[in-house]
Amino acid sequence: MEPEAPCTQRLRATIRGRVQGVGFRFFVARVGRRLHLCGHVRNLPGGRRVEVIAQGPRPALDALIQELQAGPPLAIVESVTVAREAPADDLPAFAIRA
């Protein structure tokens, strides 16, 4: 009997705090690629929020959330809000969006 493939799930996370101008998007892109997730990260208007959309196995998404809560060294993460969504086939390999 072959092992079952991990279920693919999708999340949308909004990270608030000092998260723009500190390498946060590059940090998230590296983590997403390391975890073999599909998705993207982008700055949101206002200068204090970043949005992440990611898709992959639940354990990898959980690891991503932990990394988002920590952030890179210069970031100050005040909150991470996560919404689970239905998976779709519209996401390429993890990328940074303008």
Side-chain angles (χ1 to χ4, degrees):
M1 180 188 260
E2 289 186 40
E4 290 184 28
C7 180
T8 296
Q9 298 183 13
R10 182 175 175 137
L11 66 77
R12 179 183 305 265
T14 303
I15 303 89
R16 293 180 188 275
R18 188 171 77 186
V19 293
Q20 292 189 17
V22 295
F24 202 93
R25 291 179 302 155
F26 297 98
F27 167 80
V28 173
R30 271 194 315 274
V31 170
R33 290 179 191 131
R34 186 188 70 209
L35 295 171
H36 305 287
L37 296 170
C38 296
H40 65 265
V41 57
R42 67 182 181 126
N43 287 336
L44 294 175
R48 297 192 39 82
R49 295 179 302 144
V50 170
E51 178 184 64
V52 176
I53 297 176
Q55 186 167 300
R58 176 73 184 253
L61 292 176
D62 290 343
L64 174 66
I65 292 168
Q66 287 184 327
E67 295 281 359
L68 295 176
Q69 291 169 336
L74 296 177
I76 297 174
V77 176
E78 295 171 0
S79 68
V80 178
T81 305
V82 177
R84 302 284 175 171
E85 300 180 345
D89 291 332
D90 63 340
L91 297 175
F94 216 93
I96 296 171
R97 286 201 177 163

